[in-house]
Amino acid sequence: MNRRLGFLEAVGASTEGALEEVGGLAVLLGESLGFLLQCRLRLGETFAQAYFLGVGSWSIVILTSLFTGMVFSLESAVQAVQYGVGSLVGGAVAFTSARELGPMLSGVVVAGRASAAIAAELGSMVVTEQIEALDALGISPVRMVVLPRIVALVVMLPLLTILGDVVSIAGGMWLAKQIAHIGYASFLQSARSSVHMSDFLLGLVKAAVFGIIIALVGAYQGLRTKGGAAGVGQSTTRAVVSSIILIFVANFVLSYLLFGYHR
Amino acid sequence: MSQIHARLEGVSLAYGEKRVLVDCNLDIVQGAITCVIGLSGAGKSTILRLLNGLRRPTAGRVLVAGRDIASLAGRELADFRQQIGFAFQFSALFDSLTVFDNVALPLRETTTLDERAIRGKVETILASVGLTDAAQALPAELSGGMRKRVGFARAVIAQPTMVLYDEPTTGLDPVMTRMLTDTIRSLQQRDQSTVVVVSHDRESIYAMADYIAMIYEGKILAYGSLEQIRASTDPYLLQFLHGNPEGPMHVV
Protein backbone atom coordinates (compact mmCIF):
# COMPACT_ATOMS: atom_id res chain seq x y z
CA MET A 1 0.00 0.00 0.00
CA ASN A 2 2.80 2.38 1.03
CA ARG A 3 4.75 1.60 -2.14
CA ARG A 4 1.68 2.35 -4.23
CA LEU A 5 1.17 5.65 -2.41
CA GLY A 6 4.82 6.52 -2.91
CA PHE A 7 4.49 5.84 -6.63
CA LEU A 8 1.36 7.98 -6.85
CA GLU A 9 3.10 10.77 -4.93
CA ALA A 10 6.03 10.63 -7.31
CA VAL A 11 3.70 10.76 -10.33
CA GLY A 12 1.83 13.68 -8.74
CA ALA A 13 5.04 15.57 -8.00
CA SER A 14 6.34 15.00 -11.56
CA THR A 15 3.05 16.19 -13.05
CA GLU A 16 3.05 19.25 -10.82
CA GLY A 17 6.65 20.01 -11.81
CA ALA A 18 5.86 19.62 -15.51
CA LEU A 19 2.77 21.85 -15.27
CA GLU A 20 4.76 24.45 -13.34
CA GLU A 21 7.41 24.41 -16.07
CA VAL A 22 4.84 24.78 -18.85
CA GLY A 23 3.20 27.64 -16.93
CA GLY A 24 6.55 29.34 -16.38
CA LEU A 25 7.43 29.01 -20.07
CA ALA A 26 4.05 30.47 -21.05
CA VAL A 27 4.53 33.45 -18.73
CA LEU A 28 8.04 34.06 -20.07
CA LEU A 29 6.81 33.85 -23.66
CA GLY A 30 3.91 36.19 -22.89
CA GLU A 31 6.21 38.79 -21.31
CA SER A 32 8.62 38.55 -24.24
CA LEU A 33 5.83 38.98 -26.79
CA GLY A 34 4.57 41.97 -24.81
CA PHE A 35 7.92 43.73 -25.20
CA LEU A 36 8.11 42.73 -28.86
CA LEU A 37 4.66 44.17 -29.57
CA GLN A 38 5.74 47.40 -27.89
CA CYS A 39 8.72 47.44 -30.33
CA ARG A 40 11.12 47.35 -27.38
CA LEU A 41 13.55 44.86 -28.89
CA ARG A 42 17.26 45.55 -28.25
CA LEU A 43 18.58 45.27 -31.80
CA GLY A 44 22.30 45.33 -31.03
CA GLU A 45 22.01 42.48 -28.53
CA THR A 46 19.75 40.57 -30.95
CA PHE A 47 22.36 40.75 -33.73
CA ALA A 48 25.08 39.70 -31.29
CA GLN A 49 23.03 36.69 -30.20
CA ALA A 50 22.13 35.84 -33.81
CA TYR A 51 25.83 35.70 -34.59
CA PHE A 52 26.79 33.73 -31.49
CA LEU A 53 23.88 31.27 -31.40
CA GLY A 54 23.14 31.04 -35.13
CA VAL A 55 26.24 31.74 -37.19
CA GLY A 56 28.31 29.86 -34.63
CA SER A 57 26.22 26.73 -35.25
CA TRP A 58 26.58 26.47 -39.04
CA SER A 59 29.44 23.98 -39.01
CA ILE A 60 27.67 21.42 -36.81
CA VAL A 61 24.47 21.79 -38.84
CA ILE A 62 26.43 21.15 -42.07
CA LEU A 63 28.20 18.11 -40.66
CA THR A 64 25.12 16.45 -39.17
CA SER A 65 22.94 17.23 -42.23
CA LEU A 66 25.57 16.00 -44.67
CA PHE A 67 26.06 12.64 -43.02
CA THR A 68 22.36 12.14 -42.31
CA GLY A 69 21.46 12.89 -45.93
CA MET A 70 24.17 10.52 -47.09
CA VAL A 71 23.15 7.67 -44.78
CA PHE A 72 19.48 8.10 -45.75
CA SER A 73 20.45 7.96 -49.39
CA LEU A 74 22.71 4.95 -48.76
CA GLU A 75 19.89 2.96 -47.18
CA SER A 76 17.18 3.98 -49.65
CA ALA A 77 19.18 4.01 -52.91
CA VAL A 78 20.44 0.44 -52.68
CA GLN A 79 16.96 -0.88 -51.85
CA ALA A 80 15.27 1.29 -54.47
CA VAL A 81 17.60 0.14 -57.26
CA GLN A 82 17.01 -3.50 -56.29
CA TYR A 83 13.27 -2.97 -56.71
CA GLY A 84 13.74 -0.97 -59.88
CA VAL A 85 12.56 2.35 -58.48
CA GLY A 86 15.88 4.19 -58.28
CA SER A 87 14.25 7.21 -59.84
CA LEU A 88 12.32 7.77 -56.58
CA VAL A 89 15.41 8.20 -54.39
CA GLY A 90 15.82 11.93 -55.06
CA GLY A 91 12.22 12.57 -54.11
CA ALA A 92 12.50 10.51 -50.93
CA VAL A 93 15.65 12.28 -49.77
CA ALA A 94 14.39 15.78 -50.63
CA PHE A 95 10.91 15.17 -49.21
CA THR A 96 12.25 13.86 -45.91
CA SER A 97 14.89 16.57 -45.65
CA ALA A 98 12.45 19.41 -46.29
CA ARG A 99 9.72 18.24 -43.98
CA GLU A 100 11.50 16.41 -41.17
CA LEU A 101 15.26 15.91 -41.26
CA GLY A 102 16.23 19.52 -41.98
CA PRO A 103 14.24 21.21 -39.21
CA MET A 104 14.66 18.36 -36.70
CA LEU A 105 18.40 17.97 -37.13
CA SER A 106 19.00 21.71 -37.03
CA GLY A 107 16.71 22.01 -34.02
CA VAL A 108 18.34 19.22 -32.04
CA VAL A 109 21.95 20.18 -32.72
CA VAL A 110 21.28 23.87 -32.06
CA ALA A 111 19.36 22.90 -28.92
CA GLY A 112 22.43 21.07 -27.64
CA ARG A 113 24.60 24.09 -28.23
CA ALA A 114 22.38 27.16 -27.84
CA SER A 115 20.03 26.04 -25.08
CA ALA A 116 23.02 25.06 -22.94
CA ALA A 117 24.79 28.34 -23.70
CA ILE A 118 21.72 30.42 -22.83
CA ALA A 119 21.02 28.51 -19.60
CA ALA A 120 24.67 28.70 -18.52
CA GLU A 121 24.97 32.42 -19.27
CA LEU A 122 21.73 33.41 -17.58
CA GLY A 123 22.38 31.01 -14.70
CA SER A 124 25.75 32.66 -14.12
CA MET A 125 24.05 36.05 -14.22
CA VAL A 126 21.62 34.85 -11.54
CA VAL A 127 24.31 33.55 -9.18
CA THR A 128 26.41 36.71 -9.59
CA GLU A 129 23.30 38.85 -8.85
CA GLN A 130 23.34 40.46 -12.33
CA ILE A 131 19.70 39.54 -12.93
CA GLU A 132 18.73 40.91 -9.51
CA ALA A 133 20.70 44.07 -10.35
CA LEU A 134 18.60 44.53 -13.50
CA ASP A 135 15.44 44.24 -11.41
CA ALA A 136 16.87 46.67 -8.85
CA LEU A 137 17.57 49.20 -11.62
CA GLY A 138 13.99 48.94 -12.86
CA ILE A 139 15.12 47.17 -16.06
CA SER A 140 13.27 44.06 -17.17
CA PRO A 141 15.58 41.02 -17.45
CA VAL A 142 13.11 39.56 -19.96
CA ARG A 143 13.60 42.51 -22.30
CA MET A 144 17.34 42.69 -21.68
CA VAL A 145 18.38 39.07 -22.01
CA VAL A 146 15.46 36.81 -23.00
CA LEU A 147 13.75 38.55 -25.91
CA PRO A 148 16.95 39.11 -27.98
CA ARG A 149 17.77 35.40 -27.74
CA ILE A 150 14.27 34.33 -28.78
CA VAL A 151 14.22 36.65 -31.80
CA ALA A 152 17.77 35.66 -32.75
CA LEU A 153 16.91 31.96 -32.83
CA VAL A 154 13.54 32.47 -34.54
CA VAL A 155 15.44 34.12 -37.40
CA MET A 156 18.57 31.99 -37.42
CA LEU A 157 17.15 28.49 -37.04
CA PRO A 158 15.14 28.64 -40.30
CA LEU A 159 18.27 29.93 -42.08
CA LEU A 160 20.29 27.06 -40.63
CA THR A 161 17.52 24.70 -41.72
CA ILE A 162 17.75 25.95 -45.32
CA LEU A 163 21.48 25.28 -45.13
CA GLY A 164 20.82 21.85 -43.62
CA ASP A 165 18.23 21.01 -46.32
CA VAL A 166 20.61 21.93 -49.14
CA VAL A 167 23.57 20.06 -47.66
CA SER A 168 21.49 17.01 -46.80
CA ILE A 169 20.04 16.77 -50.34
CA ALA A 170 23.43 17.42 -51.93
CA GLY A 171 25.04 14.75 -49.76
CA GLY A 172 22.28 12.28 -50.61
CA MET A 173 22.58 13.08 -54.31
CA TRP A 174 26.34 12.55 -54.33
CA LEU A 175 26.08 9.25 -52.49
CA ALA A 176 23.23 7.97 -54.71
CA LYS A 177 25.50 8.55 -57.69
CA GLN A 178 28.47 6.76 -56.08
CA ILE A 179 26.57 3.79 -54.67
CA ALA A 180 23.62 3.24 -56.98
CA HIS A 181 24.74 5.13 -60.09
CA ILE A 182 21.67 7.37 -59.98
CA GLY A 183 22.47 10.43 -62.09
CA TYR A 184 22.28 13.94 -60.73
CA ALA A 185 19.65 14.96 -63.31
CA SER A 186 17.46 11.97 -62.46
CA PHE A 187 17.87 12.63 -58.72
CA LEU A 188 16.95 16.31 -59.09
CA GLN A 189 14.03 15.56 -61.38
CA SER A 190 12.66 13.14 -58.80
CA ALA A 191 13.18 15.71 -56.04
CA ARG A 192 11.40 18.45 -58.03
CA SER A 193 8.38 16.28 -58.81
CA SER A 194 7.98 15.03 -55.22
CA VAL A 195 8.58 18.15 -53.17
CA HIS A 196 6.57 21.36 -53.31
CA MET A 197 7.66 24.76 -52.10
CA SER A 198 5.10 24.46 -49.30
CA ASP A 199 7.01 21.45 -47.91
CA PHE A 200 10.14 23.59 -47.55
CA LEU A 201 8.22 26.55 -46.15
CA LEU A 202 6.35 24.50 -43.58
CA GLY A 203 9.66 22.94 -42.57
CA LEU A 204 10.93 26.46 -41.94
CA VAL A 205 7.85 27.22 -39.84
CA LYS A 206 8.75 24.21 -37.73
CA ALA A 207 12.31 25.49 -37.40
CA ALA A 208 11.06 28.88 -36.19
CA VAL A 209 8.94 27.16 -33.52
CA PHE A 210 11.95 25.07 -32.49
CA GLY A 211 13.92 28.32 -32.20
CA ILE A 212 11.35 29.69 -29.76
CA ILE A 213 11.47 26.45 -27.74
CA ILE A 214 15.28 26.41 -27.53
CA ALA A 215 15.61 30.04 -26.44
CA LEU A 216 12.66 29.94 -24.09
CA VAL A 217 13.67 26.73 -22.32
CA GLY A 218 17.30 27.84 -22.03
CA ALA A 219 16.28 31.20 -20.61
CA TYR A 220 13.68 29.72 -18.26
CA GLN A 221 16.09 27.17 -16.82
CA GLY A 222 18.86 29.76 -16.55
CA LEU A 223 16.66 32.24 -14.71
CA ARG A 224 15.54 29.52 -12.27
CA THR A 225 19.11 28.71 -11.28
CA LYS A 226 19.71 28.32 -7.56
CA GLY A 227 23.00 27.93 -5.76
CA GLY A 228 26.43 28.38 -7.27
CA ALA A 229 28.37 26.60 -9.99
CA ALA A 230 26.56 23.31 -9.32
CA GLY A 231 23.22 25.06 -9.85
CA VAL A 232 24.39 26.42 -13.20
CA GLY A 233 25.42 22.91 -14.27
CA GLN A 234 22.02 21.49 -13.30
CA SER A 235 20.19 24.27 -15.15
CA THR A 236 22.26 23.65 -18.26
CA THR A 237 21.54 19.93 -18.23
CA ARG A 238 17.81 20.51 -17.66
CA ALA A 239 17.72 23.05 -20.49
CA VAL A 240 19.25 20.67 -23.04
CA VAL A 241 17.11 17.69 -22.01
CA SER A 242 13.86 19.68 -21.85
CA SER A 243 14.40 21.53 -25.11
CA ILE A 244 15.23 18.34 -27.05
CA ILE A 245 12.18 16.54 -25.63
CA LEU A 246 9.95 19.51 -26.42
CA ILE A 247 11.34 19.68 -29.97
CA PHE A 248 10.40 16.05 -30.59
CA VAL A 249 6.90 16.58 -29.17
CA ALA A 250 6.43 19.82 -31.12
CA ASN A 251 7.70 18.16 -34.31
CA PHE A 252 5.02 15.48 -34.10
CA VAL A 253 2.26 18.00 -33.35
CA LEU A 254 3.40 20.35 -36.12
CA SER A 255 3.73 17.55 -38.69
CA TYR A 256 0.23 16.40 -37.81
CA LEU A 257 -1.23 19.90 -38.08
CA LEU A 258 0.82 21.51 -40.84
CA PHE A 259 0.93 18.66 -43.34
CA GLY A 260 -2.81 18.08 -43.31
CA TYR A 261 -2.90 14.69 -41.56
CA HIS A 262 -5.64 15.93 -39.22
CA ARG A 263 -8.14 16.44 -42.03
CA MET B 1 12.16 66.89 13.69
CA SER B 2 13.75 64.71 11.02
CA GLN B 3 11.63 63.63 8.10
CA ILE B 4 11.26 59.92 7.49
CA HIS B 5 11.96 58.75 3.92
CA ALA B 6 11.34 55.03 4.40
CA ARG B 7 9.83 52.91 7.13
CA LEU B 8 9.52 49.25 8.01
CA GLU B 9 6.30 48.72 9.97
CA GLY B 10 5.94 45.41 11.79
CA VAL B 11 7.74 43.60 8.99
CA SER B 12 8.20 39.85 9.16
CA LEU B 13 9.82 37.72 6.50
CA ALA B 14 10.56 34.02 6.35
CA TYR B 15 12.29 31.79 3.82
CA GLY B 16 10.40 28.53 4.29
CA GLU B 17 10.84 27.53 7.92
CA LYS B 18 13.59 30.09 8.52
CA ARG B 19 12.34 33.36 10.01
CA VAL B 20 14.65 36.19 8.96
CA LEU B 21 12.75 39.22 10.26
CA VAL B 22 10.17 39.19 13.05
CA ASP B 23 7.92 42.21 13.59
CA CYS B 24 10.73 44.52 12.59
CA ASN B 25 10.30 48.32 12.81
CA LEU B 26 12.78 50.81 11.41
CA ASP B 27 12.71 54.45 10.31
CA ILE B 28 15.11 55.70 7.62
CA VAL B 29 15.70 59.44 8.01
CA GLN B 30 15.56 61.52 4.85
CA GLY B 31 18.82 63.02 3.63
CA ALA B 32 20.93 61.08 6.16
CA ILE B 33 23.10 57.98 6.18
CA THR B 34 21.66 55.12 8.21
CA CYS B 35 23.95 52.17 8.82
CA VAL B 36 22.40 48.79 9.58
CA ILE B 37 24.74 46.57 11.57
CA GLY B 38 24.45 43.06 12.92
CA LEU B 39 25.90 39.57 12.84
CA SER B 40 26.27 37.68 9.57
CA GLY B 41 22.93 36.19 8.54
CA ALA B 42 20.99 38.55 10.81
CA GLY B 43 18.86 39.87 7.93
CA LYS B 44 20.67 43.12 7.11
CA SER B 45 20.80 42.57 3.35
CA THR B 46 17.18 41.41 3.47
CA ILE B 47 16.21 44.86 4.78
CA LEU B 48 17.84 46.44 1.71
CA ARG B 49 15.98 44.06 -0.59
CA LEU B 50 12.71 44.86 1.15
CA LEU B 51 13.34 48.59 0.70
CA ASN B 52 13.87 48.01 -3.04
CA GLY B 53 10.92 45.64 -3.48
CA LEU B 54 13.19 42.73 -4.42
CA ARG B 55 11.65 40.83 -1.47
CA ARG B 56 8.11 41.10 -0.18
CA PRO B 57 7.32 40.88 3.52
CA THR B 58 5.19 38.02 4.76
CA ALA B 59 3.63 40.52 7.22
CA GLY B 60 3.80 44.27 7.78
CA ARG B 61 4.44 47.18 5.43
CA VAL B 62 7.50 48.67 3.77
CA LEU B 63 6.88 52.34 3.05
CA VAL B 64 9.20 54.25 0.74
CA ALA B 65 8.42 57.91 0.05
CA GLY B 66 4.99 57.25 1.51
CA ARG B 67 4.16 54.29 -0.75
CA ASP B 68 3.83 50.66 0.27
CA ILE B 69 6.37 49.13 -2.07
CA ALA B 70 4.94 45.63 -1.59
CA SER B 71 1.71 46.82 -3.21
CA LEU B 72 3.51 47.71 -6.46
CA ALA B 73 4.08 45.29 -9.32
CA GLY B 74 5.14 45.17 -12.95
CA ARG B 75 5.85 48.44 -14.72
CA GLU B 76 4.79 50.51 -11.69
CA LEU B 77 7.35 48.77 -9.48
CA ALA B 78 10.04 49.07 -12.16
CA ASP B 79 9.37 52.81 -12.48
CA PHE B 80 9.40 53.24 -8.70
CA ARG B 81 12.73 51.42 -8.41
CA GLN B 82 14.34 54.10 -10.56
CA GLN B 83 14.14 56.32 -7.47
CA ILE B 84 16.19 53.77 -5.52
CA GLY B 85 19.85 53.06 -6.28
CA PHE B 86 21.30 49.72 -5.21
CA ALA B 87 25.02 48.92 -4.88
CA PHE B 88 25.42 45.16 -4.50
CA GLN B 89 27.90 43.46 -2.19
CA PHE B 90 29.78 41.84 -5.06
CA SER B 91 29.00 44.77 -7.40
CA ALA B 92 26.88 42.65 -9.82
CA LEU B 93 28.42 44.35 -12.84
CA PHE B 94 27.36 43.11 -16.27
CA ASP B 95 30.48 41.32 -17.36
CA SER B 96 29.86 41.69 -21.09
CA LEU B 97 29.67 45.50 -20.82
CA THR B 98 32.50 47.97 -20.29
CA VAL B 99 32.66 50.15 -17.18
CA PHE B 100 31.19 53.03 -19.19
CA ASP B 101 28.32 50.93 -20.53
CA ASN B 102 27.59 49.45 -17.09
CA VAL B 103 27.21 52.93 -15.63
CA ALA B 104 25.29 54.25 -18.64
CA LEU B 105 22.84 51.33 -18.69
CA PRO B 106 20.22 52.78 -16.29
CA LEU B 107 20.14 56.04 -18.25
CA ARG B 108 19.93 54.30 -21.62
CA GLU B 109 17.19 51.94 -20.52
CA THR B 110 15.03 54.09 -18.28
CA THR B 111 15.38 57.67 -19.53
CA THR B 112 14.93 59.53 -22.80
CA LEU B 113 18.31 61.29 -22.55
CA ASP B 114 20.28 61.40 -25.80
CA GLU B 115 23.66 59.70 -26.04
CA ARG B 116 25.57 62.98 -25.70
CA ALA B 117 23.85 63.84 -22.41
CA ILE B 118 24.40 60.30 -21.15
CA ARG B 119 28.10 60.51 -22.03
CA GLY B 120 28.42 63.74 -20.08
CA LYS B 121 26.73 62.31 -16.99
CA VAL B 122 28.71 59.08 -17.07
CA GLU B 123 32.03 60.89 -17.48
CA THR B 124 31.17 63.16 -14.54
CA ILE B 125 30.26 60.31 -12.21
CA LEU B 126 33.27 58.22 -13.25
CA ALA B 127 35.50 61.22 -12.48
CA SER B 128 33.90 61.60 -9.06
CA VAL B 129 34.67 57.95 -8.17
CA GLY B 130 38.18 58.19 -9.67
CA LEU B 131 37.61 55.83 -12.61
CA THR B 132 37.96 58.07 -15.66
CA ASP B 133 40.85 56.00 -17.02
CA ALA B 134 38.97 52.72 -16.59
CA ALA B 135 35.92 53.68 -18.65
CA GLN B 136 36.64 51.21 -21.46
CA ALA B 137 37.78 48.35 -19.24
CA LEU B 138 35.69 45.23 -18.73
CA PRO B 139 34.70 44.29 -15.16
CA ALA B 140 37.02 41.26 -15.25
CA GLU B 141 39.99 43.64 -15.64
CA LEU B 142 39.20 45.60 -12.46
CA SER B 143 40.33 45.21 -8.85
CA GLY B 144 37.77 44.61 -6.10
CA GLY B 145 37.79 48.25 -5.01
CA MET B 146 37.35 49.47 -8.60
CA ARG B 147 34.42 47.13 -9.14
CA LYS B 148 32.79 48.47 -5.99
CA ARG B 149 33.18 52.04 -7.24
CA VAL B 150 31.68 51.15 -10.62
CA GLY B 151 28.75 49.65 -8.69
CA PHE B 152 28.42 52.89 -6.71
CA ALA B 153 28.51 54.97 -9.89
CA ARG B 154 25.82 52.80 -11.50
CA ALA B 155 23.67 53.05 -8.36
CA VAL B 156 23.72 56.86 -8.27
CA ILE B 157 23.94 57.77 -11.98
CA ALA B 158 20.19 58.43 -12.26
CA GLN B 159 20.33 60.52 -9.06
CA PRO B 160 17.87 58.41 -7.07
CA THR B 161 16.34 59.81 -3.90
CA MET B 162 17.49 56.79 -1.88
CA VAL B 163 20.65 54.72 -2.31
CA LEU B 164 21.20 51.30 -0.73
CA TYR B 165 24.74 49.96 -0.23
CA ASP B 166 25.14 46.29 0.64
CA GLU B 167 28.40 45.70 2.54
CA PRO B 168 30.38 48.24 0.47
CA THR B 169 33.71 47.75 2.24
CA THR B 170 33.73 44.03 2.98
CA GLY B 171 36.95 42.29 2.00
CA LEU B 172 38.90 45.43 1.14
CA ASP B 173 42.12 46.86 2.58
CA PRO B 174 41.92 49.79 5.06
CA VAL B 175 43.02 52.37 2.49
CA MET B 176 40.38 51.29 -0.02
CA THR B 177 37.82 51.04 2.78
CA ARG B 178 38.47 54.65 3.70
CA MET B 179 38.31 55.71 0.06
CA LEU B 180 34.93 54.00 -0.46
CA THR B 181 33.56 55.42 2.77
CA ASP B 182 34.55 58.92 1.64
CA THR B 183 32.99 58.23 -1.78
CA ILE B 184 29.66 57.21 -0.23
CA ARG B 185 29.66 60.31 1.93
CA SER B 186 30.56 62.66 -0.93
CA LEU B 187 27.96 61.15 -3.29
CA GLN B 188 25.33 61.50 -0.56
CA GLN B 189 26.23 65.12 0.03
CA ARG B 190 26.24 65.86 -3.70
CA ASP B 191 22.75 64.44 -4.26
CA GLN B 192 21.32 65.07 -0.77
CA SER B 193 19.98 61.54 -0.99
CA THR B 194 18.80 59.19 1.71
CA VAL B 195 21.36 56.43 2.18
CA VAL B 196 21.15 53.04 3.86
CA VAL B 197 24.40 51.13 4.31
CA VAL B 198 24.68 47.56 5.53
CA SER B 199 28.10 47.00 7.02
CA HIS B 200 30.19 45.09 9.55
CA ASP B 201 33.05 47.54 9.44
CA ARG B 202 33.11 49.59 12.66
CA GLU B 203 35.57 52.22 11.43
CA SER B 204 33.69 52.97 8.23
CA ILE B 205 30.38 53.02 10.13
CA TYR B 206 31.77 55.59 12.54
CA ALA B 207 33.15 57.60 9.62
CA MET B 208 29.91 57.92 7.67
CA ALA B 209 26.83 57.10 9.77
CA ASP B 210 24.32 59.68 10.92
CA TYR B 211 22.10 56.96 12.37
CA ILE B 212 22.81 53.36 13.30
CA ALA B 213 20.38 50.46 13.64
CA MET B 214 21.50 47.13 15.04
CA ILE B 215 19.58 44.03 14.08
CA TYR B 216 19.63 40.85 16.13
CA GLU B 217 17.42 37.76 15.81
CA GLY B 218 15.19 39.44 13.24
CA LYS B 219 14.43 42.59 15.24
CA ILE B 220 15.95 46.03 15.56
CA LEU B 221 17.74 45.77 18.88
CA ALA B 222 19.16 49.28 19.04
CA TYR B 223 18.62 52.47 17.05
CA GLY B 224 19.92 55.99 17.44
CA SER B 225 22.19 58.70 16.20
CA LEU B 226 25.91 57.95 15.92
CA GLU B 227 26.55 59.76 19.21
CA GLN B 228 23.77 57.87 20.99
CA ILE B 229 25.02 54.53 19.78
CA ARG B 230 28.64 55.30 20.69
CA ALA B 231 27.55 56.31 24.18
CA SER B 232 25.30 53.28 24.63
CA THR B 233 26.04 50.73 27.35
CA ASP B 234 23.75 48.10 25.79
CA PRO B 235 25.66 44.82 26.28
CA TYR B 236 24.59 43.46 22.86
CA LEU B 237 25.76 46.60 21.10
CA LEU B 238 29.03 46.67 23.02
CA GLN B 239 29.70 43.03 22.23
CA PHE B 240 29.16 43.63 18.51
CA LEU B 241 31.07 46.89 18.26
CA HIS B 242 34.03 45.52 20.25
CA GLY B 243 34.00 42.27 18.33
CA ASN B 244 33.85 40.22 21.51
CA PRO B 245 32.98 36.54 21.09
CA GLU B 246 31.83 36.43 24.73
CA GLY B 247 28.60 38.20 25.62
CA PRO B 248 24.84 37.99 25.50
CA MET B 249 24.65 37.48 21.72
CA HIS B 250 24.43 33.93 20.53
CA VAL B 251 27.06 33.64 17.80
CA VAL B 252 26.67 30.65 15.47
Side-chain angles (χ1 to χ4, degrees):
Chain A
M1 187 66 182
N2 279 343
R3 276 180 69 176
R4 195 174 295 171
L5 271 177
F7 172 74
L8 289 173
E9 274 177 28
V11 170
S14 301
T15 309
E16 190 182 344
L19 289 174
E20 187 186 325
E21 191 158 321
V22 170
L25 289 171
V27 169
L28 198 55
L29 181 62
E31 274 187 58
S32 303
L33 286 176
F35 285 116
L36 191 62
L37 292 173
Q38 294 167 37
C39 301
R40 296 181 66 200
L41 175 65
R42 298 177 71 236
L43 276 178
E45 177 68 5
T46 305
F47 282 120
Q49 290 302 323
Y51 184 81
F52 173 65
L53 299 173
V55 178
S57 301
W58 71 271
S59 55
I60 50 173
V61 168
I62 283 183
L63 279 174
T64 50
S65 300
L66 177 69
F67 284 101
T68 308
M70 281 168 38
V71 84
F72 186 74
S73 182
L74 177 70
E75 297 291 353
S76 58
V78 173
Q79 298 288 327
V81 169
Q82 275 181 2
Y83 288 101
V85 287
S87 61
L88 298 180
V89 173
V93 172
F95 188 80
T96 315
S97 294
R99 284 188 167 204
E100 302 295 339
L101 282 181
M104 270 296 287
L105 277 175
S106 304
V108 169
V109 297
V110 172
R113 184 177 178 274
S115 196
I118 293 169
E121 187 179 359
L122 270 56
S124 299
M125 289 181 77
V126 169
V127 300
T128 55
E129 296 180 324
Q130 292 176 53
I131 296 295
E132 199 171 30
L134 286 172
D135 272 328
L137 291 165
I139 300 168
S140 166
V142 174
R143 180 173 167 264
M144 279 292 288
V145 296
V146 180
L147 182 59
R149 285 160 177 78
I150 292 177
V151 174
L153 280 178
V154 165
V155 173
M156 294 309 294
L157 204 55
L159 294 177
L160 288 168
T161 299
I162 293 172
L163 181 67
D165 286 345
V166 170
V167 170
S168 169
I169 293 168
M173 188 168 71
W174 178 79
L175 204 91
K177 169 104 172 155
Q178 307 308 314
I179 297 289
H181 307 292
I182 297 170
Y184 292 151
S186 165
F187 188 97
L188 288 174
Q189 175 58 36
S190 168
R192 269 197 295 269
S193 60
S194 304
V195 184
H196 303 288
M197 185 53 83
S198 62
D199 294 317
F200 279 105
L201 293 179
L202 292 175
L204 300 185
V205 171
K206 277 183 170 184
V209 174
F210 298 162
I212 294 174
I213 289 172
I214 292 165
L216 209 54
V217 172
Y220 177 72
Q221 294 296 350
L223 292 174
R224 285 180 69 199
T225 300
K226 287 188 172 64
V232 175
Q234 287 164 3
S235 297
T236 307
T237 306
R238 275 197 302 266
V240 174
V241 172
S242 299
S243 58
I244 289 177
I245 289 172
L246 280 176
I247 284 173
F248 275 92
V249 173
N251 186 52
F252 169 75
V253 174
L254 290 171
S255 289
Y256 185 76
L257 294 176
L258 294 176
F259 299 131
Y261 295 120
H262 62 295
R263 285 179 206 136
Chain B
M1 182 73 181
S2 305
Q3 276 202 311
I4 302 303
H5 185 85
R7 170 174 282 158
L8 269 61
E9 280 183 1
V11 167
S12 297
L13 189 139
Y15 296 127
E17 295 290 302
K18 191 185 176 204
R19 296 196 305 172
V20 181
L21 298 177
V22 185
D23 193 23
C24 183
N25 295 287
L26 175 65
D27 286 346
I28 306 294
V29 176
Q30 187 167 326
I33 298 181
T34 301
C35 288
V36 180
I37 61 174
L39 298 174
S40 296
K44 305 183 297 295
S45 297
T46 300
I47 287 179
L48 296 189
R49 281 164 170 75
L50 283 163
L51 288 169
N52 187 273
L54 290 168
R55 300 282 182 279
R56 286 169 189 262
T58 42
R61 295 197 306 166
V62 180
L63 300 169
V64 178
R67 297 192 69 177
D68 183 358
I69 198 163
S71 69
L72 304 177
R75 191 69 183 263
E76 202 178 11
L77 178 60
D79 289 344
F80 193 74
R81 279 178 176 150
Q82 289 161 28
Q83 302 172 32
I84 306 167
F86 200 127
F88 283 79
Q89 183 179 356
F90 299 107
S91 305
L93 302 180
F94 305 113
D95 42 24
S96 59
L97 302 181
T98 63
V99 166
F100 185 95
D101 290 335
N102 261 284
V103 178
L105 188 71
L107 298 179
R108 286 181 176 147
E109 295 297 323
T110 63
T111 72
T112 53
L113 290 174
D114 62 35
E115 198 56 32
R116 193 171 161 183
I118 289 172
R119 176 164 291 280
K121 278 179 173 285
V122 174
E123 284 171 354
T124 303
I125 195 72
L126 286 179
S128 68
V129 296
L131 286 173
T132 301
D133 294 338
Q136 295 310 315
L138 287 168
E141 298 163 348
L142 305 177
S143 69
M146 292 166 88
R147 291 172 67 91
K148 293 269 190 186
R149 282 181 283 156
V150 178
F152 292 3
R154 190 178 66 186
V156 302
I157 185 71
Q159 294 189 287
T161 54
M162 182 165 74
V163 188
L164 313 172
Y165 293 90
D166 193 359
E167 309 216 13
T169 59
T170 301
L172 298 174
D173 62 73
V175 176
M176 184 54 69
T177 296
R178 182 57 190 266
M179 191 178 184
L180 293 184
T181 305
D182 292 346
T183 303
I184 291 172
R185 178 51 95 179
S186 66
L187 290 171
Q188 187 271 334
Q189 285 173 347
R190 186 197 70 164
D191 297 337
Q192 289 299 299
S193 53
T194 303
V195 169
V196 185
V197 181
V198 157
S199 181
H200 291 112
D201 184 346
R202 186 176 61 183
E203 293 310 315
S204 66
I205 293 164
Y206 285 166
M208 68 178 146
D210 297 310
Y211 296 91
I212 295 174
M214 180 173 165
I215 184 168
Y216 179 63
E217 293 190 333
K219 290 181 183 251
I220 300 297
L221 189 79
Y223 176 82
S225 66
L226 175 63
E227 295 74 26
Q228 287 171 326
I229 293 293
R230 290 189 80 159
S232 172
T233 56
D234 183 297
Y236 289 87
L237 203 52
L238 289 174
Q239 185 191 351
F240 180 82
L241 290 173
H242 294 155
N244 192 348
E246 302 297 324
M249 278 197 294
H250 175 60
V251 182
V252 181

